[in-house]
Amino acid sequence: MSNQPMLSLCMIVKNEEKSLPISLKSVEGIADELIIVDTGSTDKTEEVAKEHGANVYKKKWRNDFSEVRNFAIEKAKGKWILILDADESILEGDAEKIKGLLHNPINEGYLFYIHSRYGNLSSSAPTQALRLFRNRKEYRYKNRVFERIPDEKLTHVADGLVSIIHHPNQERRIQMQRLKIRMLEEEIVQSPSDPYLHYVYGIELLNAGQMAESIAPLRTALKNASLMQVFTPHLYKCLVWSLIHTRKIEDALEVIIQGIKDFPQFTDLVFFRGQCHQQARKYSEAIKDFELCLKMKPAPMSFVPDEGITTYKAYFSLGQVHEALQNHEIALEQYEKAYKNARYFDEALYSAGTLLKDHPKLGELDQVLLGWMEEGLDQMMTLIDILCLQRQYEKALFYVDQTETIHGQNEDLLFARGICLMMLEYSAEAEQVYERITREHPYYPQVLLRRIQNYWFADQWKEAGVILEEIRGSQTLPSYTKLTYETIHALFAGSYTEFVDVGNKGLEIAAKLIEHLIYLNQTQKAKFLLPWLLLYGQPEQWVRIGEMLAEKGDIQTAEDIFNRIKGQDQKQHYKERICSRLLLKDERQAAKHVLTWGGTDELGICGFLLWNRMYSNELSGFLKTGMRSKRLDAEFKAKLARLVELIDHEN
């Protein structure tokens, strides 16, 4: 390394004895000097650092990340500075790339990609950050939190094409998030016009799930930001994302229009515009945007683009739009393209599964998906799961048997078998299967939930109570799940006099259970829970239940749900979905009645399409009847047959 410019790794740590060895090992052979600043560890962090040859310095923590970063840089002797945190490591194979970057005579710094991994899962898209730069006195960090070297100080920054893997500890991440939000609030008071502070504050609120609260700081940041600042494109994206998810569609479109004007190559904004049009049911505009995404190049990585915007996500969104427009064949083609462009994107398979189940003329669900999928255990488990979700339990059970024959028996397949048997009303056999799954299996908490459902379905209340006690004592199940199951059991037992709000996730559990009960023709039990869901639940949950009730012929209860919905757009959506479901079953009179709910003036685009389709079906049937008349000659019957063919094709 004698001809290599000297590189100093600078790191700040506190209680990192477990993660530090992995981080330091990743820079072996490239870092000539390890500078580690400890801000108050009480474990063996210092010992571990020294074992790896690091120079360890102590620094009192005063709620200022920049102060500690700059202290570390002051101790460095290298010509280049590499910044890592203790829970980060250089991606294997990328360390050698860093050596080449040090010889560039022009570039002053390099952006690296940060990939966050939670367990075995990666975040949706990597971010970029300045992690390698020349050791010059003018290059120093500012801001107490979300420290950075200002853009105007450091020029000639290039993409280093190096990846850093970030393995955050979930508990510490939440603690650090709260600390950073508090520090940002204090710093914004001191520098109220700094766009970067408002930008990162908005992001932290987003990360904390406070989407509505994030809008104001993001708007302030955008107002004060310059187009030359590296974070401005991502700022546009974050603000749009917050506005869309708080259903401020018109506001989002205004920001998108300006964002595309400022950064026309930012494909993500075009995609977001398509999503806005999709939510507003301006489907032709949505199609134009998603098709435009397919023609565009991915945005520069410095913009922090989402993966798949120009490929599988655009195809998938086109599938959703065409499905809403009743263009079922085109929708299926788009879902296929989405999956084949990213074979890990199972969401396309699940959407295609729903479409195929609702429209069997498109093909047999299992055969179509098998034609798309590669062979393997994971793929078969996905197919079995889709079949169960579409309530094709006998087929799912067939593939469980087939998969066990090829790959052998395992507890995942046992779990799937138990679900199939339970929903096919083989209660005792299902319980025997569930009992074979060990407590050590990751699915075991879910097994408990399935077992208590199995006992509820079979009216075995004493046995259900025993399982409920085990659910209460589970260290794995979240509190909202426990509360939801306790509430359901109490409602069935008649011991609850008022409904409680168990949150969105808890109510989704209740909605799924209601759907199971309706499927099993246990409507009376479902109606015990329905008022609870109507009080606190979400419109999309009501739609699914309304569809099932309509299919079962309980139009009155489905209409009762409609009357509880307040927003006109939501009423339209609900009515159209129920009508579509009835037309699939050829229940034309019931569908005609549904379209009159609230008056025909409440029909949306899809409602009018359904209305026209319904009457086209009636016209086709009328003409077919007329063709049987003996009074018509062969030539006229041929013309009628051609007209019927055209009507049916358009339908």
Side-chain angles (χ1 to χ4, degrees):
M1 294 183 61
S2 57
N3 296 325
Q4 186 76 14
M6 186 173 176
L7 174 66
S8 297
L9 170 73
C10 292
M11 180 185 293
I12 58 177
V13 299
K14 181 179 179 181
N15 294 332
E16 299 285 3
E17 64 175 344
K18 292 182 179 179
S19 57
L20 190 56
I22 299 172
S23 183
L24 296 181
K25 185 174 177 58
S26 74
V27 296
E28 282 183 358
I30 61 165
D32 304 275
E33 181 182 43
L34 306 178
I35 304 294
I36 293 182
V37 179
D38 192 318
T39 61
S41 294
T42 56
D43 62 1
K44 296 181 180 179
T45 295
E46 184 177 356
E47 295 174 33
V48 171
K50 289 181 176 178
E51 286 173 3
H52 286 79
N55 298 316
V56 180
Y57 299 89
K58 300 291 184 69
K59 179 71 173 173
K60 184 178 180 181
W61 175 247
R62 299 194 298 185
N63 285 341
D64 192 329
F65 285 94
S66 286
E67 180 185 42
V68 185
R69 292 276 187 217
N70 293 333
F71 178 81
I73 294 171
E74 294 291 342
K75 301 296 182 183
K77 299 175 182 177
K79 291 185 176 181
W80 287 84
I81 302 295
L82 173 65
I83 299 293
L84 280 183
D85 287 333
D87 56 359
E88 297 176 337
S89 57
I90 303 294
L91 179 67
E92 187 175 356
D94 277 9
E96 287 297 314
K97 295 180 183 178
I98 296 176
K99 292 181 180 180
L101 301 178
L102 306 182
H103 290 283
N104 189 299
I106 298 175
N107 292 331
E108 292 290 297
Y110 292 94
L111 300 172
F112 287 2
Y113 298 106
I114 316 297
H115 302 259
S116 291
R117 290 184 179 173
Y118 301 89
N120 294 321
L121 301 175
S122 296
S123 60
S124 59
T127 58
Q128 275 194 316
L130 179 71
R131 292 304 188 90
L132 180 65
F133 51 90
R134 293 185 189 274
N135 188 359
R136 301 189 191 278
K137 290 185 177 181
E138 60 267 32
Y139 299 160
R140 293 295 184 266
Y141 285 93
K142 65 172 289 188
N143 300 126
R144 293 169 55 216
V145 62
F146 288 98
E147 63 282 9
R148 67 184 180 116
I149 297 175
D151 299 340
E152 62 273 15
K153 291 285 187 181
L154 195 149
T155 57
H156 298 293
V157 176
D159 188 337
L161 299 176
V162 172
S163 291
I164 292 173
I165 307 302
H166 178 215
H167 290 280
N169 176 283
Q170 186 66 8
E171 184 177 342
R172 290 185 63 181
R173 185 184 73 85
I174 294 172
Q175 293 174 350
M176 185 60 68
Q177 185 180 72
R178 291 170 181 164
L179 172 64
K180 287 182 175 180
I181 287 176
R182 188 170 65 251
M183 290 174 64
L184 278 167
E185 289 171 344
E186 293 171 356
E187 195 158 7
I188 285 172
V189 171
Q190 298 175 5
S191 305
S193 61
D194 187 332
Y196 178 77
L197 291 176
H198 288 280
Y199 160 67
V200 291
Y201 182 47
I203 289 177
E204 282 304 292
L205 291 173
L206 275 176
N207 292 336
Q210 298 174 259
M211 287 176 284
E213 293 81 356
S214 72
I215 294 173
L218 291 173
R219 280 195 181 279
T220 302
L222 188 59
K223 179 181 177 181
N224 296 323
S226 161
L227 297 185
M228 301 303 295
Q229 289 175 301
V230 70
F231 61 84
T232 303
H234 188 242
L235 167 57
Y236 267 114
K237 179 178 173 179
C238 291
L239 177 54
V240 169
W241 195 89
S242 295
L243 291 168
I244 289 175
H245 284 267
T246 52
R247 300 189 178 277
K248 300 180 185 296
I249 303 303
E250 293 300 322
D251 290 348
L253 281 169
E254 286 183 14
V255 176
I256 289 169
I257 290 168
Q258 185 60 46
I260 292 175
K261 182 180 177 181
D262 291 339
F263 302 99
Q265 72 273 46
F266 199 177
T267 319
D268 292 46
L269 294 179
V270 177
F271 184 81
F272 277 143
R273 186 173 65 188
Q275 287 189 321
C276 288
H277 290 318
Q278 183 179 355
Q279 286 195 28
R281 303 189 189 185
K282 297 178 180 178
Y283 294 126
S284 61
E285 297 301 315
I287 289 171
K288 289 178 185 177
D289 280 331
F290 295 137
E291 288 181 344
L292 179 58
C293 288
L294 292 170
K295 297 175 183 177
M296 295 177 70
K297 294 180 180 179
M301 288 304 297
S302 59
F303 289 11
V304 196
D306 279 353
E307 177 192 354
I309 292 294
T310 59
T311 53
Y312 69 90
K313 287 182 180 176
Y315 283 124
F316 181 72
S317 295
L318 282 169
Q320 290 180 314
V321 173
H322 281 292
E323 187 173 355
L325 288 171
Q326 312 293 312
N327 299 328
H328 303 128
E329 291 183 4
I330 299 175
L332 188 63
E333 290 172 3
Q334 300 301 320
Y335 290 144
E336 181 180 8
K337 289 177 182 178
Y339 178 68
K340 289 186 175 179
N341 269 270
R343 292 191 177 272
Y344 51 85
F345 187 58
D346 288 346
E347 193 173 350
L349 293 176
Y350 283 87
S351 292
T354 301
L355 185 63
L356 289 161
K357 183 252 184 182
D358 290 343
H359 303 279
K361 289 182 180 179
L362 296 172
E364 290 289 330
L365 188 159
D366 54 327
Q367 295 304 312
V368 171
L369 295 189
L370 283 172
W372 298 1
M373 301 164 71
E374 298 173 345
E375 294 184 6
L377 177 59
D378 290 343
Q379 288 76 13
M380 291 308 300
M381 292 300 302
T382 298
L383 177 62
I384 291 166
D385 190 40
I386 292 171
L387 289 167
C388 286
L389 285 173
Q390 300 308 325
R391 305 197 182 283
Q392 297 188 14
Y393 298 109
E394 290 183 354
K395 274 191 177 181
L397 198 55
F398 167 79
Y399 285 107
V400 169
D401 291 335
Q402 190 178 73
T403 306
E404 284 185 344
T405 300
I406 298 171
H407 297 282
Q409 193 177 83
N410 62 55
E411 290 185 306
D412 293 1
L413 286 166
L414 280 176
F415 184 59
R417 181 182 294 279
I419 292 171
C420 293
L421 291 170
M422 178 177 75
M423 297 308 295
L424 290 169
E425 299 185 271
Y426 295 108
S427 176
E429 292 86 345
E431 178 61 17
Q432 290 173 3
V433 170
Y434 288 144
E435 287 180 341
R436 292 166 60 189
I437 301 175
T438 62
R439 292 176 179 270
E440 290 73 29
H441 192 269
Y443 282 176
Y444 186 74
Q446 295 301 315
V447 172
L448 289 177
L449 304 182
R450 294 294 184 174
R451 287 180 69 190
I452 194 170
Q453 289 179 17
N454 193 34
Y455 285 132
W456 285 338
F457 298 156
D459 295 323
Q460 294 179 272
W461 307 109
K462 181 178 179 181
E463 292 83 352
V466 173
I467 300 298
L468 183 61
E469 286 301 316
E470 193 170 353
I471 290 171
R472 286 177 178 141
S474 171
Q475 299 298 311
T476 307
L477 289 170
S479 57
Y480 70 83
T481 299
K482 296 179 184 180
L483 178 58
T484 302
Y485 275 81
E486 288 177 1
T487 304
I488 292 169
H489 192 76
L491 286 168
F492 283 151
S495 57
Y496 260 8
T497 57
E498 61 181 34
F499 299 117
V500 295
D501 187 354
V502 293
N504 291 335
K505 292 181 179 179
L507 290 165
E508 184 60 27
I509 293 170
K512 290 291 185 184
L513 180 62
I514 292 171
E515 292 173 43
H516 292 333
L517 291 166
I518 295 171
Y519 172 79
L520 294 170
N521 295 314
Q522 298 189 18
T523 310
Q524 197 58 40
K525 289 179 187 172
K527 289 183 178 180
F528 270 119
L529 305 179
L530 190 55
W532 180 33
L533 193 69
L534 292 175
L535 183 62
Y536 294 114
Q538 299 297 316
E540 192 58 33
Q541 297 165 346
W542 304 341
V543 167
R544 298 199 312 262
I545 291 167
E547 287 176 329
M548 294 191 70
L549 288 167
E551 283 184 330
K552 292 287 186 179
D554 192 348
I555 302 297
Q556 184 57 57
T557 305
E559 187 173 2
D560 291 342
I561 295 174
F562 172 81
N563 291 329
R564 294 288 297 272
I565 301 173
K566 295 180 179 179
Q568 184 173 340
D569 287 346
Q570 293 172 351
K571 280 180 175 288
Q572 285 180 6
H573 181 58
Y574 179 88
K575 182 165 60 174
E576 290 163 6
R577 286 273 294 270
I578 303 301
C579 183
S580 296
R581 184 67 55 181
L582 290 168
L583 285 177
L584 287 172
K585 299 293 183 181
D586 204 30
E587 298 284 347
R588 298 181 189 177
Q589 291 304 314
K592 186 186 295 185
H593 171 66
V594 168
L595 282 179
T596 65
W597 290 352
T600 54
D601 59 326
E602 290 193 12
L603 290 178
I605 294 173
C606 290
F608 282 111
L609 286 172
L610 292 169
W611 190 280
N612 291 333
R613 179 165 296 183
M614 184 167 57
Y615 281 103
S616 295
N617 285 339
E618 291 186 357
L619 177 59
S620 175
F622 176 76
L623 293 174
K624 288 174 182 176
T625 301
M627 287 167 57
R628 293 195 290 270
S629 174
K630 295 180 180 180
R631 297 180 181 180
L632 302 179
D633 58 32
E635 183 180 355
F636 195 77
K637 285 184 178 181
K639 290 180 179 179
L640 284 180
R642 176 57 180 159
L643 180 58
V644 168
E645 182 182 347
L646 289 171
I647 292 171
D648 288 347
H649 177 74
E650 288 299 318
N651 230 11

